[in-house]
Amino acid sequence: METKELEVNKTLPFDPSLLNVNISLRQIEEIATTVSQRCHVSGVNEVAWALRAMMLTDLTTLAGDDTAANVRRLCLRACYPFEPQFFDKFFDRALISEMHTAAVCVYPARVKDAYVTLQQYDKLDRVAIAAVATGFPTGQYGLQTRLQEISHAILAGATEIDIVINRQLALVGDWEGVYNEVVLMRSACGQQAHLKTILAIGELGTMENVYKASMACMLAGADFIKTSTGKETVNATLPVGLVMIFAIQEFKRRTCQIVGLKPAGGVRTVRDAIAWMTLVNETLGPRWLTPERFRFGASGLLDDVERVVREGVAKMEAEEALKNQVVPPEVAAAEGFCKELKKKKKEAK
């Protein structure tokens, strides 16, 4: 399996001062709601935002009944979400090669299936292969077993590893313990894979814990911090996302190191995605809305993207046809006659 060295974040010394924080839940909720509603889109703009969301998506299948056939279908859809001729009329054909998801996300046992399929489509350099690891979704395995799972996924062809943190350590406030485990996971990834750390925010209890877990993971060398496994009762919410954004901003201010954000679980519609992209744009800035810094972890979002784009293009085609429609002479004459009658009737009054 060919591997190449990637640019990854460095592990920094553990600094407890970065974990000091007090958070007002009510204020966070108000700010998140206000900021995420600043962007209202429709028509062609909604199509553009939908396509942007698609290009930021890690198309995911994490089911117990996943098979090689399931993964092949997933990869085909990730590479070619729309038939190429679909965009011919309204989009530059040169952009069609960019119309794909950012990555596919599968279990380690299915990574080889994804690698072979993407290789067949010549998309290995365009669509990344992400693998969940370290005992996903619970993390309730021995440390050595979790580390071996990372190595197995990378050897099979994964270029991104989504690990779950040890929530037991987090819930007792052992943040240095969380940091130490993630350091080992960063080391296991080396420069062969980017490291995304799943906080499982629905099981951390408080917003302060979300912030501290974010900081511990970023100090350990995470390339992304990710909200959830998608298996918890509470997954990606905008207030939690805002807390993680605040942590990313403070970490960048203190260390000059850039970390990406990945909401996962609960982002099912284009409107959901637009709210998240607006939140990121208004806080971290437009430069964060790239696959290198922002992702959606989703299995159903692409369905709504396809619906919005197809409906939007159909509407554009209808408007184009109406604009170019040639009115027959007899219809034009009849319309002119009716207008003249209405004018005379109005004058008579």
Side-chain angles (χ1 to χ4, degrees):
M1 206 68 69
E2 292 182 17
T3 59
K4 60 180 180 180
E5 289 194 351
L6 305 172
E7 188 176 334
V8 301
N9 280 344
K10 297 181 295 183
T11 295
L12 303 174
F14 184 71
D15 182 358
S17 71
L18 278 170
L19 276 62
N20 295 330
V21 67
N22 289 303
I23 294 173
S24 166
L25 179 58
R26 186 171 179 178
Q27 283 186 327
I28 286 291
E29 289 174 340
E30 289 175 355
I31 295 169
T33 301
T34 302
V35 172
S36 64
Q37 292 178 348
R38 287 180 183 170
C39 184
H40 299 280
V41 298
S42 60
V44 176
N45 285 336
E46 188 174 19
V47 171
W49 279 87
L51 290 172
R52 171 67 67 87
M54 178 190 74
M55 294 161 70
L56 296 172
T57 295
D58 288 358
L59 189 60
T60 303
T61 181
L62 297 170
D65 59 355
D66 280 343
T67 64
N70 290 357
V71 172
R72 282 196 294 270
R73 284 194 296 270
L74 183 88
C75 292
L76 174 60
R77 198 173 184 208
C79 295
Y80 304 105
F82 300 92
E83 59 276 20
Q85 64 272 22
F86 178 73
F87 293 107
D88 279 355
K89 193 168 185 180
F90 297 101
F91 297 85
D92 186 341
R93 194 165 182 81
L95 296 175
I96 293 175
S97 62
E98 304 298 324
M99 298 293 180
H100 55 77
T101 67
V104 293
C105 184
V106 297
Y107 278 115
R110 302 267 68 93
V111 167
K112 187 176 180 181
D113 300 325
Y115 185 94
V116 170
T117 305
L118 293 176
Q119 189 176 46
Q120 289 173 344
Y121 293 132
D122 195 25
K123 292 286 187 177
L124 283 172
D125 291 333
R126 291 182 174 273
V127 179
I129 301 173
V132 294
T134 66
F136 178 95
T138 65
Q140 297 276 15
Y141 294 83
L143 181 58
Q144 287 308 311
T145 302
R146 287 182 277 151
L147 295 174
Q148 287 168 5
E149 195 174 30
I150 293 174
S151 301
H152 169 74
I154 292 173
L155 285 172
T159 53
E160 299 176 0
I161 301 294
D162 290 29
I163 63 101
V164 287
I165 67 166
N166 189 326
R167 275 90 89 191
Q168 295 77 43
L169 294 176
L171 290 170
V172 298
D174 186 0
W175 299 111
E176 190 166 5
V178 173
Y179 164 86
N180 288 334
E181 285 198 354
V182 178
V183 166
L184 294 175
M185 294 166 187
R186 166 78 277 169
S187 179
C189 289
Q191 290 183 280
Q192 279 70 54
H194 288 119
L195 177 67
K196 304 195 203 93
T197 54
I198 306 171
L199 307 185
I201 56 90
E203 297 176 353
L204 290 183
T206 67
M207 289 293 192
E208 284 82 3
N209 281 350
V210 171
Y211 186 93
K212 291 174 182 180
S214 300
M215 279 296 184
C217 291
M218 291 189 289
L219 284 166
D223 298 296
F224 277 77
I225 51 175
K226 178 177 171 180
T227 59
S228 322
T229 65
K231 310 292 186 182
E232 298 95 53
T233 305
V234 179
N235 293 291
T237 67
L238 293 170
V240 163
L242 185 59
V243 170
M244 294 170 71
I245 286 169
F246 286 160
I248 289 171
Q249 289 174 320
E250 179 64 10
F251 186 75
K252 181 176 180 292
R253 188 183 72 82
R254 296 276 291 270
T255 68
C256 296
Q257 195 152 282
I258 291 172
V259 179
L261 176 67
K262 180 178 174 179
V267 185
R268 297 184 180 89
T269 69
V270 170
R271 290 293 170 178
D272 293 337
I274 290 173
W276 274 96
M277 289 188 286
T278 302
L279 184 67
V280 169
N281 185 62
E282 293 288 327
T283 53
L284 294 168
R287 287 183 299 174
W288 241 266
L289 291 178
T290 66
E292 291 75 30
R293 297 188 186 184
F294 184 71
R295 300 281 184 86
F296 292 111
S299 55
L301 175 60
L302 192 54
D303 293 334
D304 199 53
V305 167
E306 185 175 354
R307 179 191 65 79
V308 168
V309 172
R310 289 190 185 280
E311 288 179 1
V313 169
K315 189 176 179 181
M316 284 190 281
E317 287 176 342
E319 290 173 351
E320 185 79 8
L322 193 62
K323 190 188 301 181
N324 296 331
Q325 187 176 11
V326 177
V327 180
E330 59 273 18
V331 174
E335 287 179 352
F337 179 68
C338 289
K339 285 180 183 178
E340 188 67 27
L341 282 178
K342 286 178 183 178
K343 185 179 178 182
K344 288 180 178 178
K345 191 174 181 181
K346 192 175 180 182
E347 288 173 349
K349 289 181 179 178

